[in-house]
Amino acid sequence: MIDEILPAISGEILTDDATLTGAGRDWGNLVHARPRLVVRPASTIDVAAVVRFASKRGIPVAVRGAGHSPYGQGQTDGGIVLDMTSLPPRRVVIDGLVSVDAGARWRDVLDVTLPHGLTPPVFTDYLDVTVGGTLVVGGVGGAAHHHGVQTDTVVELEVVTGAGELLTCSRDSNRKLFDAMLAGLGQCGVITRATLQLIPAPTRARRWKLYYDSLSSFLADQRGVVRDGRFEYLEGQPLLGEGGWRYMLEAVAYYTPPASPDEEALLGALSFVEAESEDTTYFDFLNRVADGEAALRTVGSWFHPHPWIDLFLPDSAVEQVVDETLTTTARNDLGDTGLLLLYPLRADRLNTPLFKVPGGELVWLFSLLRTGSPVDPLANARMVELNVDLYRKVSALGGKVYPSTAMPRSAEDWREHFGPGWQILAEAKALFAPESHLNPGQRLDFSGTP
Ligand SMILES: Cc1cc2nc3c(=O)[nH]c(=O)nc-3n(C[C@H](O)[C@H](O)[C@H](O)COP(=O)(O)OP(=O)(O)OC[C@H]3O[C@@H](n4cnc5c(N)ncnc54)[C@H](O)[C@@H]3O)c2cc1C
């Protein structure tokens, strides 16, 4: 039994049924791999001891943040799960930067920065995912068209490499490790701490929901406002109603009174057919999913399977792909509480080598956030199949898939996804994690890579 020969650590080693079952579940609720044991480290020394031990014996280690992956990305069958949320908080704001333990949720980061009048520039829509969990995939949100994704805002990382060595890395030091950890799917090490850029925090957010009847006018307005950068935050959603599809552009201006947004200048030239607006504190805007979460927990669908797919489309194909997808997508394909996202990012703001998007000036996040059935595995398998079909179609048009997607992927799919970036990852793996088998749930395979 590996728990009998593990090195002594100051954290906990858990093998009870409830813990192992919990570690074999995630947000997707589609893949269930049961680990041999779960380690709740009390320090980075514990993390290093476990990773070194596992690496020498070829035991897989899955690193777990908040467990909000959709398809077993943070699970391992028979290996060790390292629960990063047990690390003691290390959260400091200094010189316009914040340094946090990787198990901190983005909500925790805001808790320490807002009292200083500062904020990370980009948030995921949901604040209860961890810093480590989003930095290994990218971290996309409505401010990315200004600041890039969350990985673009990282200044330094502390990493326990797959060989069990504790290193710091940045653009100026251990660059190969830095580049391989950001959006590198946790293949070369475990992020234990991250130092992130901050910007001045506004106190208020004015949010407009602008409705369109036509896809092309919705896309045209999104292109215009993302290019001129007039809103601090921009997302959008195709909405399925009784009368078919409509489109909602979600645009936000941040401000701090006595300044206030100039609505005429911001909305004047746009071609929406209907508008709503609301004004909240900056924090309440960032925390806007919390109400929806409470409602979905009450009706139970928060816990149902989530066959989600997030894609990046080239600007040249967005209208065709979205139009064809919407034409063939019924409510049944999304589930009762499923929804779609569609919004552009500027490629010139994306500087993380392993964060892969199509070429071109603009790329479009297109997400089908499906809710599956709690009782019908065949219906869920069908939704995953729909994801695979869409992925194949989008890949043929030059699109990419966001790693946090519910879909099986082969080793070949991954090599194609990373393109020349595969070599960056493979070289770093050989240097920093040659024997280790980290985050097997991502299903990468380095065998045969020189
Ligand atoms: C309601 C909801 C809304 C979301 N909204 C967004 C959004 O707006 N934008 C966006 O980009 N994503 C979004 N996501 C997706 C989410 O950000 C990713 O799935 C993220 O990877 C989950 O983070 P987590 O902390 O739950 O990590 P986990 O699911 O626990 O882990 C994710 C992956 O990272 C690895 N990992 C975790 N921590 C570390 C670490 N410290 N070091 C190395 N590897 C590690 C795991 O092994 C796994 O492979 C959303 C998810 C949900 C459920």
Side-chain angles (χ1 to χ4, degrees):
M1 289 291 289
I2 41 179
D3 46 323
E4 283 159 13
I5 51 169
L6 257 177
I9 58 165
S10 44
E12 294 176 281
I13 298 168
L14 302 170
T15 54
D16 63 281
D17 187 56
T19 304
L20 300 186
T21 305
R25 277 206 199 106
D26 58 23
W27 165 257
N29 204 355
L30 293 159
V31 170
H32 301 284
R34 192 179 166 90
R36 183 73 63 88
L37 51 93
V38 172
V39 174
R40 289 180 49 79
S43 66
T44 49
I45 296 170
D46 283 357
V47 173
V50 171
V51 169
R52 207 176 303 123
F53 166 86
S55 167
K56 282 191 184 137
R57 289 162 182 80
I59 299 169
V61 175
V63 188
R64 186 173 175 101
H68 281 106
S69 289
Y71 207 64
Q73 282 90 342
Q75 298 182 30
T76 163
D77 192 1
I80 299 174
V81 165
L82 256 180
D83 177 355
M84 300 305 285
T85 63
S86 68
L87 285 175
R90 290 186 290 162
R91 297 163 194 171
V92 190
V93 175
I94 193 159
D95 292 339
L97 303 172
V98 63
S99 176
V100 288
D101 48 293
R105 295 170 191 240
W106 286 94
R107 167 186 310 287
D108 303 321
V109 182
L110 264 176
D111 274 355
V112 293
T113 66
L114 283 184
H116 295 264
L118 296 168
T119 178
V122 190
F123 287 91
T124 46
D125 294 346
Y126 183 51
L127 295 181
D128 286 305
V129 287
T130 65
V131 170
T134 63
L135 294 186
V136 302
V137 290
V140 189
H145 69 287
H146 281 292
H147 304 283
V149 292
Q150 289 177 325
T151 48
D152 294 310
T153 70
V154 178
V155 174
E156 185 182 87
L157 294 175
E158 178 189 89
V159 175
V160 169
T161 68
E165 198 181 355
L166 184 65
L167 293 176
T168 54
C169 56
S170 67
R171 277 183 192 81
D172 304 320
S173 142
N174 285 321
R175 176 75 190 250
K176 285 189 172 168
L177 182 61
F178 188 68
D179 284 346
M181 289 309 302
L182 296 174
L185 310 182
Q187 300 301 296
C188 298
V190 181
I191 301 173
T192 50
R193 189 167 53 79
T195 303
L196 311 163
Q197 278 166 16
L198 298 174
I199 58 173
T203 60
R204 311 262 337 151
R206 175 95 40 98
R207 177 191 190 192
W208 290 274
K209 291 180 177 176
L210 309 175
Y211 295 91
Y212 295 75
D213 291 331
S214 124
L215 175 61
S216 46
S217 55
F218 167 72
L219 297 178
D221 275 1
Q222 281 195 319
R223 282 190 187 99
V225 298
V226 90
R227 284 190 178 119
D228 67 27
R230 72 179 81 169
F231 296 107
E232 274 80 23
Y233 168 104
L234 176 85
E235 292 199 2
Q237 296 183 19
L239 305 168
L240 183 55
E242 297 284 302
W245 290 97
R246 291 185 89 197
Y247 309 91
M248 189 262 287
L249 190 157
E250 186 193 14
V252 180
Y254 296 145
Y255 69 102
T256 299
S260 69
D262 179 347
E263 181 161 316
E264 179 63 34
L266 288 168
L267 305 189
L270 302 181
S271 60
F272 54 89
V273 292
E274 200 186 317
E276 291 167 14
S277 73
E278 66 178 23
D279 208 288
T280 63
T281 65
Y282 176 62
F283 176 79
D284 284 347
F285 169 68
L286 296 177
N287 194 34
R288 65 200 174 282
V289 173
D291 287 345
E293 174 179 356
L296 294 178
R297 281 179 183 272
T298 306
V299 297
S301 73
W302 187 259
F303 309 102
H304 293 175
H306 291 101
W308 283 14
I309 182 165
D310 298 280
L311 298 153
F312 289 105
L313 310 179
D315 194 35
S316 56
V318 62
E319 189 149 1
Q320 177 200 336
V321 171
V322 173
D323 192 34
E324 288 174 10
T325 307
L326 299 189
T327 305
T328 54
T329 298
R331 174 48 62 197
N332 202 24
D333 302 318
L334 294 172
D336 287 347
T337 53
L339 56 88
L340 285 83
L341 300 177
L342 178 62
Y343 61 88
L345 279 70
R346 289 175 54 145
D348 64 351
R349 307 300 154 105
L350 305 174
N351 294 308
T352 302
L354 296 184
F355 182 75
K356 290 298 171 191
V357 293
E361 177 212 358
L362 298 181
V363 297
W364 293 77
L365 179 82
F366 183 39
S367 305
L368 285 83
L369 308 181
R370 312 176 198 268
T371 306
S373 162
V375 293
D376 185 354
L378 284 181
N380 300 328
R382 188 182 152 272
M383 287 184 176
V384 172
E385 270 309 306
L386 290 173
N387 289 349
V388 173
D389 292 347
L390 186 56
Y391 161 67
R392 298 276 172 232
K393 173 178 179 171
V394 164
S395 294
L397 294 166
K400 294 280 181 190
V401 69
Y402 189 46
S404 191
T405 281
M407 191 182 77
R409 256 162 297 179
S410 66
E412 202 37 56
D413 289 334
W414 278 120
R415 286 175 197 216
E416 197 180 307
H417 170 84
F418 283 109
W422 180 259
Q423 212 49 42
I424 298 180
L425 200 51
E427 264 181 53
K429 168 96 171 84
L431 269 175
F432 298 103
E435 310 294 337
S436 71
H437 195 195
L438 286 174
N439 292 336
Q442 295 286 5
R443 300 178 184 84
L444 273 66
D445 181 0
F446 292 91
S447 54
T449 308

